[in-house]
Amino acid sequence: MTKRQWFTRASALLFLLLLVINLYVFFTREWESSFSPTSYATLYYPLDIPTIREWKLVDRNRIQLDLACTNEITEWKILTDGGKEQTASGMKPSFRIDTTFSELHTYKLIPVTQQAIQPIEISIRFYGKEFYASLGMKHVDVYVVRANVPCGEFEQYSVNDWVDDYRYVGEAGLAEVSRILHDEVGIRDADPTFVRMEKLAPYLRRKLKGAVGVPKDDERWMNPYRLYCEMVAGTGKGWCTQHAQVWVFWANRAGIPTRFVFGARTQDNTIVYTGHAWAESYIREQNRWAFVDMSQGELYITNKEAQVLNTAELFHLNQHNAFDGTYVRVYVDWVWEKHPGIPGKDTLVTVPFALCNELVRSEFTAQSILKYRRPPNVEDVREIYAGFFNDRTFLLGNLERYLFKPQLAYSFYPTEGGHTYFIRRFLFFALLTSFVFWVAMLAVGRRWKVPSKQ
């Protein structure tokens, strides 16, 4: 055997070995292993809101911001304490600041070219080096800077990054959904987000009445529109997972940016499913994500300032049973119509969240891990792989999450997501490399076998 033949066979064996290892890791992965830990800022400070990456001093009386935003802002109007107007340009605006000792001054940066973007408010209090020197300390100037927008370098997504386009549903299906939203649900372009939610939620709750139950295996890989149609027709049933998927689909098509969220929990240093799923809808009027639980008919929960609360905020409030002053907008049907303290039937009401927070109280424990799914809006499945052959989006979506697009997780607990994905990616790219090397060796061998022309 020549050295070339030996390398060819060795590369083939290496490829087969790596293929077996990759398949073994894929088929034996734990149920809740495909997630990666992230921060509150990444989950809840979208890039649609201007973010101050850093600030620096141009000189003692002038500051420059380094901003990031999905929309480029070319011009700013800047007000100092409500007056003293200045102008600045671009995503690195600089402006004069008042360095009167110890006085607090507020600077409001108002976008001129992108008026839909909220103004940036910065407060600065200055302590000069002369002050410290008078007290016998050698110190540089101190600027105490605070802002009403996110600050720092961290991974960010735009709201649209969480929104599925649902091309895999097909043009006919999406056209029918648009017709229903306009003709039957009554959603109009001018409707604000809360109005859209309060039109859509009762419609879906009425349509899905009687659809609660154990889903068939096939429903685990169906696209959300087909899943909805089967649940409405009575040929399919759904857990909270399916109801959340349906809400995410219809809400996104109704112009309400919405993402799928579900829970995991630590137990004996492993991860197990908690048994509940829900959604979050983005309220553009508040620039906040709102917890939505369609399986319970809960549209959104608000605090004392009427701001919607997200999943992580409810998770933290639950650790201290601090739900005083929180209210829920809920659709009253068979789930709540006989519940003490909740009035009405087939109607939307606002009641103290403490009246109907049993599920949040039981699911959002200190051991919970909150998982946020990025598109496509198809379920992750273990052990039931028939969907891989029946639906291309289900196959590609699951493989993409397995390797490159982990579901992001928020928790008190450390997770092994980074380590898990390093191993998966290393094995996958090693497999590709071995395959390329094997093919290259075969090509070299074939070239050597071609007889030379006399």
Side-chain angles (χ1 to χ4, degrees):
M1 182 186 299
T2 65
K3 184 180 293 186
R4 177 185 52 77
Q5 291 174 324
W6 186 90
F7 274 118
T8 301
R9 294 184 181 182
S11 61
L13 288 173
L14 179 61
F15 169 74
L16 291 174
L17 176 62
L18 287 169
L19 177 62
V20 170
I21 294 173
N22 273 269
L23 291 173
Y24 174 80
V25 171
F26 178 79
F27 286 112
T28 61
R29 68 197 190 280
E30 294 178 356
W31 178 260
E32 295 293 346
S33 61
S34 296
F35 65 89
S36 185
T38 192
S39 67
Y40 181 96
T42 292
L43 292 169
Y44 290 110
Y45 296 153
L47 201 52
D48 305 67
I49 302 171
T51 299
I52 302 175
R53 292 294 186 217
E54 65 176 356
W55 63 270
K56 64 181 180 180
L57 294 170
V58 178
D59 57 46
R60 197 180 199 197
N61 300 304
R62 178 174 287 271
I63 193 173
Q64 183 180 58
L65 308 181
D66 184 358
L67 303 175
C69 187
T70 52
N71 296 305
E72 189 80 12
I73 302 166
T74 58
E75 187 177 354
W76 301 87
K77 179 173 71 173
I78 304 171
L79 302 178
T80 303
D81 299 328
K84 304 176 186 177
E85 184 175 323
Q86 306 177 59
T87 60
S89 60
M91 298 302 286
K92 293 187 177 183
S94 67
F95 52 93
R96 295 185 306 277
I97 59 175
D98 191 318
T99 54
T100 303
F101 174 75
S102 187
E103 288 186 3
L104 181 67
H105 296 282
T106 300
Y107 305 87
K108 188 172 186 178
L109 285 73
I110 304 171
V112 176
T113 54
Q114 292 285 349
Q115 296 183 357
I117 294 178
Q118 73 177 70
I120 299 173
E121 291 188 7
I122 299 174
S123 66
I124 302 176
R125 195 186 298 271
F126 174 77
Y127 297 91
K129 58 185 178 182
E130 297 86 358
F131 163 71
Y132 294 100
S134 68
L135 298 175
M137 175 184 284
K138 186 177 181 180
H139 204 289
V140 297
D141 292 335
V142 172
Y143 299 79
V144 181
V145 182
R146 295 182 175 87
N148 70 330
V149 296
C151 303
E153 286 278 358
F154 53 90
E155 187 176 23
Q156 280 183 287
Y157 300 92
S158 71
V159 171
N160 286 335
D161 286 333
W162 295 97
V163 176
D164 199 336
D165 59 19
Y166 294 103
R167 285 179 295 179
Y168 50 89
V169 169
E171 292 184 6
L174 294 180
E176 176 62 10
V177 169
S178 296
R179 183 199 68 78
I180 292 171
L181 288 170
H182 185 274
D183 297 345
E184 298 182 27
V185 183
I187 288 179
R188 299 293 181 262
D189 291 341
D191 287 344
T193 306
F194 285 135
V195 172
R196 293 171 188 250
M197 295 173 74
E198 295 193 4
K199 287 180 177 180
L200 180 60
Y203 178 86
L204 293 179
R205 290 293 296 176
R206 294 179 190 121
K207 285 288 186 179
L208 296 174
K209 184 178 181 179
V212 176
V214 178
K216 299 176 293 186
D217 283 347
D218 285 351
E219 291 175 44
R220 308 288 292 281
W221 56 263
M222 287 180 184
N223 74 60
Y225 180 57
R226 182 177 170 188
L227 173 66
Y228 165 80
C229 291
E230 293 219 0
M231 292 171 71
V232 170
T235 56
K237 301 289 184 180
W239 285 329
C240 55
T241 300
Q242 286 69 44
H243 282 79
Q245 282 182 278
V246 167
W247 171 258
V248 172
F249 170 71
W250 281 91
N252 278 318
R253 300 310 299 175
I256 309 165
T258 301
R259 61 191 181 189
F260 182 91
V261 191
F262 57 114
R265 182 178 299 160
T266 58
Q267 178 178 307
D268 299 329
N269 292 323
T270 61
I271 308 302
V272 296
Y273 187 50
T274 65
H276 197 53
W278 56 95
E280 285 187 337
S281 292
Y282 191 72
I283 312 301
R284 293 192 185 278
E285 294 81 355
Q286 296 188 6
N287 288 320
R288 292 178 63 84
W289 288 97
F291 171 90
V292 182
D293 191 346
M294 190 46 47
S295 70
Q296 302 294 298
E298 297 173 351
L299 276 69
Y300 51 87
I301 300 161
T302 56
N303 62 16
K304 295 177 181 178
E305 285 73 39
Q307 290 183 314
V308 293
L309 297 174
N310 60 49
T311 297
E313 288 168 336
L314 292 173
F315 168 65
H316 284 279
L317 288 177
N318 193 42
Q319 310 315 309
H320 310 284
N321 191 20
F323 293 110
D324 294 345
T326 60
Y327 290 84
V328 60
R329 189 68 167 164
V330 62
Y331 176 68
V332 183
D333 58 7
W334 60 273
V335 175
W336 301 114
E337 61 187 22
K338 296 181 180 179
H339 197 82
I342 300 181
K345 180 179 181 181
D346 190 25
T347 186
L348 285 162
V349 298
T350 299
V351 297
F353 185 49
L355 292 176
C356 49
N357 67 356
E358 294 94 338
L359 201 55
V360 166
R361 292 288 306 278
S362 63
E363 293 294 338
F364 290 7
T365 69
Q367 293 79 30
S368 295
I369 297 176
L370 310 173
K371 296 175 60 177
Y372 300 73
R373 175 187 292 168
R374 289 183 284 171
N377 181 24
V378 294
E379 189 172 351
D380 289 327
V381 173
R382 310 289 189 274
E383 299 176 355
I384 304 173
Y385 296 101
F388 284 2
F389 304 99
N390 295 316
D391 189 276
R392 180 172 179 268
T393 300
F394 178 86
L395 169 63
L396 296 179
N398 271 267
L399 292 180
E400 184 180 35
R401 284 188 198 129
Y402 173 78
L403 285 170
F404 304 114
K405 203 174 183 180
Q407 297 174 104
L408 302 181
Y410 180 78
S411 173
F412 288 148
Y413 281 76
T415 66
E416 296 183 356
H419 175 71
T420 298
Y421 273 85
F422 172 80
I423 292 176
R424 290 180 183 179
R425 292 164 184 167
F426 175 82
L427 289 173
F428 176 73
F429 285 113
L431 176 68
L432 289 182
T433 302
S434 66
F435 177 74
V436 170
F437 185 73
W438 178 31
V439 171
M441 293 303 298
L442 289 174
V444 170
R446 187 168 295 178
R447 182 167 63 90
W448 278 92
K449 287 182 180 181
V450 176
S452 59
K453 295 181 180 180
Q454 300 295 328

